[in-house]
Amino acid sequence: SPYRERSVEENLEMFRKMKAGDYDEGSHVLRAKIDMGSANLNMRDPAMYRIRKAHHVMTGDTWKMYPMYDFAHCISDAIEGITHSLCTLEFEDHRPLYDWFVKEAQDTGLLKGTPEQTE
């Protein structure tokens, strides 16, 4: 991506604008900068958030962006104190990403543990 080398400050400003609804649906995503050369396609700068301006049954129109499953799955497991996440075999290739997200979020103080994904 030509945007891979943006500064942290620029990315944070764009994230704030995504959250505020300043961008059109589908025009931006927030990606984790991991490894574009990885043999595992899931580790090649995966999308974490996308813009989706849709009415939600629980939160109404509050949110303009939503987390992608691979990001939300492991982080919610860790926040909720889940110890083992049992998944079907199609998630085996996603396990390194699950582990990476949890490892990178450890310093936030929000996680109640380190969950383990098992297929």
Side-chain angles (χ1 to χ4, degrees), residues 34-59:
I34 303 178
D35 180 7
M36 288 302 291
S38 176
N40 183 333
L41 296 178
N42 296 299
M43 298 299 287
R44 293 186 184 177
D45 294 1
M48 296 168 57
Y49 281 92
R50 72 202 182 292
I51 298 168
R52 180 85 171 109
K53 296 181 179 179
H55 185 78
H56 189 275
V57 67
M58 300 293 285
T59 61

mmCIF file of all heavy atoms in Angstrom, residues 34-59:
data_model
loop_
_atom_site.group_PDB
_atom_site.id
_atom_site.type_symbol
_atom_site.label_atom_id
_atom_site.label_comp_id
_atom_site.label_asym_id
_atom_site.label_seq_id
_atom_site.Cartn_x
_atom_site.Cartn_y
_atom_site.Cartn_z
ATOM 1 N N ILE A 34 2.031 -5.301 9.989
ATOM 2 C CA ILE A 34 2.705 -6.508 10.474
ATOM 3 C C ILE A 34 3.825 -6.910 9.509
ATOM 4 O O ILE A 34 4.958 -6.499 9.679
ATOM 5 C CB ILE A 34 1.706 -7.673 10.693
ATOM 6 C CG1 ILE A 34 0.600 -7.242 11.676
ATOM 7 C CG2 ILE A 34 2.428 -8.897 11.236
ATOM 8 C CD1 ILE A 34 -0.456 -8.285 11.934
ATOM 9 N N ASP A 35 3.508 -7.695 8.476
ATOM 10 C CA ASP A 35 4.557 -8.210 7.592
ATOM 11 C C ASP A 35 3.988 -8.533 6.217
ATOM 12 O O ASP A 35 3.380 -9.580 6.029
ATOM 13 C CB ASP A 35 5.171 -9.464 8.212
ATOM 14 C CG ASP A 35 6.278 -10.077 7.373
ATOM 15 O OD1 ASP A 35 6.683 -9.472 6.354
ATOM 16 O OD2 ASP A 35 6.756 -11.170 7.728
ATOM 17 N N MET A 36 4.210 -7.646 5.268
ATOM 18 C CA MET A 36 3.698 -7.869 3.911
ATOM 19 C C MET A 36 4.396 -9.031 3.204
ATOM 20 O O MET A 36 3.904 -9.525 2.205
ATOM 21 C CB MET A 36 3.818 -6.591 3.079
ATOM 22 C CG MET A 36 2.830 -5.514 3.484
ATOM 23 S SD MET A 36 1.118 -6.055 3.377
ATOM 24 C CE MET A 36 0.924 -6.197 1.607
ATOM 25 N N GLY A 37 5.515 -9.497 3.725
ATOM 26 C CA GLY A 37 6.236 -10.617 3.127
ATOM 27 C C GLY A 37 5.896 -11.959 3.754
ATOM 28 O O GLY A 37 6.450 -12.984 3.354
ATOM 29 N N SER A 38 4.976 -11.978 4.702
ATOM 30 C CA SER A 38 4.637 -13.219 5.400
ATOM 31 C C SER A 38 4.028 -14.248 4.447
ATOM 32 O O SER A 38 3.236 -13.906 3.566
ATOM 33 C CB SER A 38 3.647 -12.936 6.530
ATOM 34 O OG SER A 38 3.250 -14.141 7.152
ATOM 35 N N ALA A 39 4.387 -15.504 4.646
ATOM 36 C CA ALA A 39 3.786 -16.588 3.873
ATOM 37 C C ALA A 39 2.309 -16.768 4.244
ATOM 38 O O ALA A 39 1.523 -17.251 3.446
ATOM 39 C CB ALA A 39 4.549 -17.891 4.114
ATOM 40 N N ASN A 40 1.945 -16.367 5.458
ATOM 41 C CA ASN A 40 0.556 -16.438 5.913
ATOM 42 C C ASN A 40 -0.140 -15.142 5.499
ATOM 43 O O ASN A 40 0.144 -14.065 6.034
ATOM 44 C CB ASN A 40 0.517 -16.614 7.428
ATOM 45 C CG ASN A 40 -0.886 -16.780 7.970
ATOM 46 O OD1 ASN A 40 -1.861 -16.307 7.386
ATOM 47 N ND2 ASN A 40 -0.992 -17.446 9.105
ATOM 48 N N LEU A 41 -1.063 -15.233 4.576
ATOM 49 C CA LEU A 41 -1.760 -14.051 4.056
ATOM 50 C C LEU A 41 -2.467 -13.256 5.142
ATOM 51 O O LEU A 41 -2.634 -12.037 5.028
ATOM 52 C CB LEU A 41 -2.756 -14.452 2.967
ATOM 53 C CG LEU A 41 -2.175 -15.070 1.704
ATOM 54 C CD1 LEU A 41 -3.291 -15.468 0.749
ATOM 55 C CD2 LEU A 41 -1.215 -14.127 1.029
ATOM 56 N N ASN A 42 -2.887 -13.918 6.211
ATOM 57 C CA ASN A 42 -3.580 -13.234 7.308
ATOM 58 C C ASN A 42 -2.669 -12.251 8.046
ATOM 59 O O ASN A 42 -3.169 -11.346 8.714
ATOM 60 C CB ASN A 42 -4.143 -14.253 8.305
ATOM 61 C CG ASN A 42 -5.197 -15.113 7.672
ATOM 62 O OD1 ASN A 42 -6.211 -14.613 7.223
ATOM 63 N ND2 ASN A 42 -4.956 -16.406 7.619
ATOM 64 N N MET A 43 -1.367 -12.416 7.928
ATOM 65 C CA MET A 43 -0.410 -11.553 8.616
ATOM 66 C C MET A 43 0.042 -10.374 7.753
ATOM 67 O O MET A 43 0.851 -9.571 8.169
ATOM 68 C CB MET A 43 0.810 -12.372 9.057
ATOM 69 C CG MET A 43 0.489 -13.480 10.037
ATOM 70 S SD MET A 43 -0.220 -12.886 11.582
ATOM 71 C CE MET A 43 1.216 -12.165 12.343
ATOM 72 N N ARG A 44 -0.470 -10.256 6.548
ATOM 73 C CA ARG A 44 -0.069 -9.188 5.632
ATOM 74 C C ARG A 44 -0.925 -7.945 5.850
ATOM 75 O O ARG A 44 -1.861 -7.665 5.118
ATOM 76 C CB ARG A 44 -0.169 -9.663 4.181
ATOM 77 C CG ARG A 44 0.829 -10.752 3.854
ATOM 78 C CD ARG A 44 0.782 -11.085 2.393
ATOM 79 N NE ARG A 44 1.666 -12.201 2.088
ATOM 80 C CZ ARG A 44 1.784 -12.740 0.901
ATOM 81 N NH1 ARG A 44 1.068 -12.278 -0.119
ATOM 82 N NH2 ARG A 44 2.608 -13.749 0.708
ATOM 83 N N ASP A 45 -0.586 -7.207 6.874
ATOM 84 C CA ASP A 45 -1.258 -5.949 7.214
ATOM 85 C C ASP A 45 -2.788 -6.069 7.163
ATOM 86 O O ASP A 45 -3.459 -5.412 6.368
ATOM 87 C CB ASP A 45 -0.783 -4.815 6.306
ATOM 88 C CG ASP A 45 0.689 -4.476 6.532
ATOM 89 O OD1 ASP A 45 1.332 -5.126 7.368
ATOM 90 O OD2 ASP A 45 1.177 -3.547 5.880
ATOM 91 N N PRO A 46 -3.354 -6.891 8.032
ATOM 92 C CA PRO A 46 -4.805 -7.133 8.011
ATOM 93 C C PRO A 46 -5.621 -5.916 8.455
ATOM 94 O O PRO A 46 -5.181 -5.116 9.283
ATOM 95 C CB PRO A 46 -4.976 -8.281 9.010
ATOM 96 C CG PRO A 46 -3.850 -8.075 9.975
ATOM 97 C CD PRO A 46 -2.689 -7.597 9.131
ATOM 98 N N ALA A 47 -6.798 -5.791 7.897
ATOM 99 C CA ALA A 47 -7.719 -4.729 8.304
ATOM 100 C C ALA A 47 -8.217 -5.014 9.711
ATOM 101 O O ALA A 47 -8.571 -6.143 10.051
ATOM 102 C CB ALA A 47 -8.886 -4.634 7.331
ATOM 103 N N MET A 48 -8.257 -3.974 10.551
ATOM 104 C CA MET A 48 -8.756 -4.085 11.917
ATOM 105 C C MET A 48 -10.130 -3.426 12.052
ATOM 106 O O MET A 48 -10.982 -3.920 12.777
ATOM 107 C CB MET A 48 -7.778 -3.423 12.889
ATOM 108 C CG MET A 48 -6.438 -4.101 12.930
ATOM 109 S SD MET A 48 -5.174 -3.136 13.804
ATOM 110 C CE MET A 48 -5.904 -2.913 15.401
ATOM 111 N N TYR A 49 -10.318 -2.295 11.384
ATOM 112 C CA TYR A 49 -11.590 -1.566 11.414
ATOM 113 C C TYR A 49 -11.992 -1.158 10.006
ATOM 114 O O TYR A 49 -11.136 -0.863 9.179
ATOM 115 C CB TYR A 49 -11.482 -0.279 12.249
ATOM 116 C CG TYR A 49 -11.558 -0.489 13.726
ATOM 117 C CD1 TYR A 49 -10.410 -0.668 14.478
ATOM 118 C CD2 TYR A 49 -12.783 -0.490 14.381
ATOM 119 C CE1 TYR A 49 -10.478 -0.847 15.856
ATOM 120 C CE2 TYR A 49 -12.857 -0.672 15.748
ATOM 121 C CZ TYR A 49 -11.709 -0.853 16.474
ATOM 122 O OH TYR A 49 -11.788 -1.031 17.835
ATOM 123 N N ARG A 50 -13.298 -1.106 9.785
ATOM 124 C CA ARG A 50 -13.840 -0.632 8.516
ATOM 125 C C ARG A 50 -14.955 0.360 8.809
ATOM 126 O O ARG A 50 -15.556 0.331 9.883
ATOM 127 C CB ARG A 50 -14.382 -1.776 7.673
ATOM 128 C CG ARG A 50 -15.692 -2.321 8.259
ATOM 129 C CD ARG A 50 -15.979 -3.712 7.803
ATOM 130 N NE ARG A 50 -17.199 -4.292 8.263
ATOM 131 C CZ ARG A 50 -17.510 -4.643 9.499
ATOM 132 N NH1 ARG A 50 -16.711 -4.391 10.482
ATOM 133 N NH2 ARG A 50 -18.637 -5.242 9.778
ATOM 134 N N ILE A 51 -15.198 1.232 7.848
ATOM 135 C CA ILE A 51 -16.284 2.198 7.981
ATOM 136 C C ILE A 51 -17.567 1.524 7.534
ATOM 137 O O ILE A 51 -17.630 0.934 6.452
ATOM 138 C CB ILE A 51 -16.018 3.448 7.123
ATOM 139 C CG1 ILE A 51 -14.742 4.144 7.590
ATOM 140 C CG2 ILE A 51 -17.204 4.402 7.176
ATOM 141 C CD1 ILE A 51 -14.247 5.203 6.652
ATOM 142 N N ARG A 52 -18.569 1.588 8.390
ATOM 143 C CA ARG A 52 -19.876 0.999 8.076
ATOM 144 C C ARG A 52 -20.930 1.874 8.726
ATOM 145 O O ARG A 52 -21.111 1.839 9.944
ATOM 146 C CB ARG A 52 -19.954 -0.429 8.612
ATOM 147 C CG ARG A 52 -21.242 -1.129 8.352
ATOM 148 C CD ARG A 52 -21.265 -1.771 6.978
ATOM 149 N NE ARG A 52 -22.428 -2.607 6.859
ATOM 150 C CZ ARG A 52 -23.470 -2.308 6.100
ATOM 151 N NH1 ARG A 52 -23.460 -1.226 5.358
ATOM 152 N NH2 ARG A 52 -24.507 -3.100 6.063
ATOM 153 N N LYS A 53 -21.581 2.669 7.923
ATOM 154 C CA LYS A 53 -22.608 3.579 8.440
ATOM 155 C C LYS A 53 -23.965 2.905 8.332
ATOM 156 O O LYS A 53 -24.736 3.158 7.422
ATOM 157 C CB LYS A 53 -22.574 4.892 7.665
ATOM 158 C CG LYS A 53 -21.274 5.653 7.859
ATOM 159 C CD LYS A 53 -21.262 6.946 7.107
ATOM 160 C CE LYS A 53 -19.958 7.680 7.339
ATOM 161 N NZ LYS A 53 -19.895 8.940 6.605
ATOM 162 N N ALA A 54 -24.221 2.032 9.283
ATOM 163 C CA ALA A 54 -25.468 1.276 9.299
ATOM 164 C C ALA A 54 -26.089 1.382 10.690
ATOM 165 O O ALA A 54 -25.379 1.427 11.696
ATOM 166 C CB ALA A 54 -25.205 -0.181 8.948
ATOM 167 N N HIS A 55 -27.379 1.413 10.737
ATOM 168 C CA HIS A 55 -28.092 1.449 12.015
ATOM 169 C C HIS A 55 -27.904 0.112 12.722
ATOM 170 O O HIS A 55 -28.111 -0.946 12.135
ATOM 171 C CB HIS A 55 -29.579 1.732 11.781
ATOM 172 C CG HIS A 55 -30.345 1.896 13.046
ATOM 173 N ND1 HIS A 55 -30.309 3.068 13.776
ATOM 174 C CD2 HIS A 55 -31.134 1.037 13.719
ATOM 175 C CE1 HIS A 55 -31.061 2.903 14.854
ATOM 176 N NE2 HIS A 55 -31.566 1.699 14.841
ATOM 177 N N HIS A 56 -27.506 0.159 13.974
ATOM 178 C CA HIS A 56 -27.282 -1.041 14.772
ATOM 179 C C HIS A 56 -28.426 -1.193 15.763
ATOM 180 O O HIS A 56 -28.866 -0.212 16.375
ATOM 181 C CB HIS A 56 -25.944 -0.929 15.501
ATOM 182 C CG HIS A 56 -25.522 -2.184 16.178
ATOM 183 N ND1 HIS A 56 -25.952 -2.521 17.444
ATOM 184 C CD2 HIS A 56 -24.721 -3.189 15.769
ATOM 185 C CE1 HIS A 56 -25.420 -3.678 17.786
ATOM 186 N NE2 HIS A 56 -24.665 -4.107 16.795
ATOM 187 N N VAL A 57 -28.895 -2.401 15.942
ATOM 188 C CA VAL A 57 -30.056 -2.646 16.790
ATOM 189 C C VAL A 57 -29.818 -2.237 18.253
ATOM 190 O O VAL A 57 -30.742 -1.821 18.937
ATOM 191 C CB VAL A 57 -30.510 -4.121 16.678
ATOM 192 C CG1 VAL A 57 -29.482 -5.069 17.264
ATOM 193 C CG2 VAL A 57 -31.858 -4.320 17.317
ATOM 194 N N MET A 58 -28.587 -2.322 18.729
ATOM 195 C CA MET A 58 -28.288 -1.999 20.131
ATOM 196 C C MET A 58 -27.761 -0.578 20.318
ATOM 197 O O MET A 58 -28.066 0.062 21.316
ATOM 198 C CB MET A 58 -27.253 -2.993 20.689
ATOM 199 C CG MET A 58 -27.714 -4.439 20.667
ATOM 200 S SD MET A 58 -29.070 -4.753 21.783
ATOM 201 C CE MET A 58 -28.235 -4.750 23.329
ATOM 202 N N THR A 59 -26.950 -0.099 19.390
ATOM 203 C CA THR A 59 -26.285 1.195 19.577
ATOM 204 C C THR A 59 -26.797 2.280 18.645
ATOM 205 O O THR A 59 -26.289 3.401 18.679
ATOM 206 C CB THR A 59 -24.764 1.045 19.399
ATOM 207 O OG1 THR A 59 -24.494 0.575 18.077
ATOM 208 C CG2 THR A 59 -24.171 0.104 20.426
#
